[in-house]
Amino acid sequence: MLFNSFVFLLAFLPTALILHGLVARAAPAWRLPLLVGLSFVFYGWWDVRFVPLLAGSILANWCVARLYRHRPGRWLIPVAIAANLALLGVFKYLDFAADLANLIPGLETQRLGLALPLGISFFTFHHIMYLADLRAGRAPSFGLVKYALYIAFFPQVLAGPLVRWSEIMHQFDEQPYARPDAAERFARGLMLLTVGLAKKVFLGDPLAEYVNPVFQAAAAGKAVTVVEAWQATLGFTFQIYFDFSGYTDMALGIALLFGLVLPQNFDVPYRATSLRDFWRRWHMTLSRFLRDYLYVPMGGNRRGLPRQVGALAVTMTLGGLWHGAGLTFLAWGALHGIGLGAGVLARRARIAIPAPLGWALTSLFVVLTWVLFRATSFEAALVIFKGLFGLAPRGSGFKWRTIAIAALVATVGPTAWTAVHRLPPRRLLACGFALLFVLVLLKIGDDANYEFIYFQF
């Protein structure tokens, strides 16, 4: 069930809101159990076989947390975190490991072909954040219902944002529709949902037509012209932004409809004037997770320059692997780690880069490395790079209009979060409903792209 589908917009979401509103007023104690139940229905709509996996993961980690509170042991939390990572590894990386093993002459390893449970990367990281903070003495223990809702809350269970327990647990105790600003928050949520849908449907999906055929041709070993390579690379640069940031806007908006505030995940990343600035603006909740739970424990910037540069390289390489089980993802992450390390060295050397030049260099680096992120192999990436660097026929017919509009919106326009919170509250509700239904009637139909890029990660 995708946010841009009729079954979600016209059936699940209205039903969930009506039930939630009735229970919040008539039986407030049942509000959180209802949200847990709705979340499992939403998750099970994809593939009911994975509901026991999600439920078992929640129950096991909650039991570990309770046991640690009563009998704190030195190794209990690390073993639990390792078990979570092992579960993620089995589903996401076992076949990748088999492929690597098959590169060794004389060694033949069978791929298991396990289906990847949707959202496993995200709910695994939610478990890790809570358990790590519990061991550090920063997190209290919670009841099973609250913990289950923290992990499985349906707007963010499939593709984030990565929400810290401290950002949302206290909100579970509030009565959202009793707040004086309840109507305003509901209206802003509706607008965020609408803007996210618009970004996905009007910008992200059309760009796929410029991207997919070219990368598929490259994967098949066919020649790609210079025009096609730049069209596909720039197209993907903005496609992934509007696809993923659009999903995030929808998730934040839907959560607001239920009275819960999730953290912002994008802040105009293509305005960044350095690679460090880019990662402070792109997938912000993942960036801070990697910083706080990987980079800092490895020493961060507290143990000398070599350790800092090494920690950046390892952190970003593992971040690349988290995005996908493939060598191209590893290379993408490693290049960003090297780029961040180079930025540290430049700052230590007090090399001042003018903002316009910093923006140009950062944009070029990000655009070029997106090729590795999108390509299915190094061979396919090389075909695209040959086109980008002019080592292929020039070609003709660059389709610039949609890309130009996407670039303008992505770099000049405000974030959806900022725009929605600047609108006059009294007009939000009417505008939100009008825009939503226009989108539903005009664009979301049988020809819609019922896919989100980040769901494969």
Side-chain angles (χ1 to χ4, degrees), residues 150 153 163-172 260 262:
Y150 165 60
F153 185 43
V163 185
R164 289 176 173 171
W165 63 270
S166 57
E167 293 174 315
I168 196 169
M169 287 295 202
H170 64 282
Q171 298 184 56
F172 294 162
L260 297 172
L262 301 183

Side-chain angles (χ1 to χ4, degrees), residues 24 34 86 90 151 179 187 191 225-226 258 262 293 301 319 361 374 394 409 413 427 440:
L34 172 69
V90 167
I151 300 297
R179 295 171 56 101
M191 280 299 295
T225 67
V226 173
F258 291 89
L262 301 183
Y293 296 94
N301 60 2
L361 292 174
R374 177 61 179 80
R394 185 178 183 281
V409 175
R427 300 178 183 175
V440 170

Side-chain angles (χ1 to χ4, degrees), residues 137-216:
R138 293 188 294 264
S141 59
F142 296 99
L144 180 57
V145 172
K146 282 188 177 181
Y147 187 74
L149 186 56
Y150 165 60
I151 300 297
F153 185 43
F154 74 88
Q156 49 86 27
V157 67
L158 297 182
L162 288 166
V163 185
R164 289 176 173 171
W165 63 270
S166 57
E167 293 174 315
I168 196 169
M169 287 295 202
H170 64 282
Q171 298 184 56
F172 294 162
D173 296 322
E174 299 176 357
Q175 294 302 318
Y177 302 138
R179 295 171 56 101
D181 61 344
E184 179 182 330
R185 282 163 63 117
F186 190 93
R188 294 193 192 281
L190 190 59
M191 280 299 295
L192 273 172
L193 172 60
T194 302
V195 172
L197 281 167
K199 289 166 68 173
K200 162 71 174 169
V201 171
F202 290 127
L203 291 170
D205 291 349
L207 287 169
E209 300 174 6
Y210 302 166
V211 176
N212 294 344
V214 177
F215 276 94
Q216 288 167 2

Side-chain angles (χ1 to χ4, degrees), residues 72-155:
R74 182 179 179 185
W75 298 107
L76 182 60
I77 297 296
V79 168
I81 291 175
N84 279 286
L85 292 173
L87 183 66
L88 176 63
V90 167
F91 283 100
K92 192 169 182 177
Y93 301 108
L94 204 58
D95 284 344
F96 175 58
D99 291 339
L100 291 179
N102 288 332
L103 296 175
I104 302 173
L107 188 62
E108 293 186 5
T109 307
Q110 290 286 337
R111 290 173 58 94
L112 294 182
L114 295 175
L116 180 65
L118 288 166
I120 188 171
S121 297
F122 288 91
F123 68 69
T124 297
F125 276 20
H126 278 96
H127 287 311
I128 291 173
M129 284 191 289
Y130 175 71
L131 291 176
D133 285 354
L134 181 67
R135 187 170 188 261
R138 293 188 294 264
S141 59
F142 296 99
L144 180 57
V145 172
K146 282 188 177 181
Y147 187 74
L149 186 56
Y150 165 60
I151 300 297
F153 185 43
F154 74 88

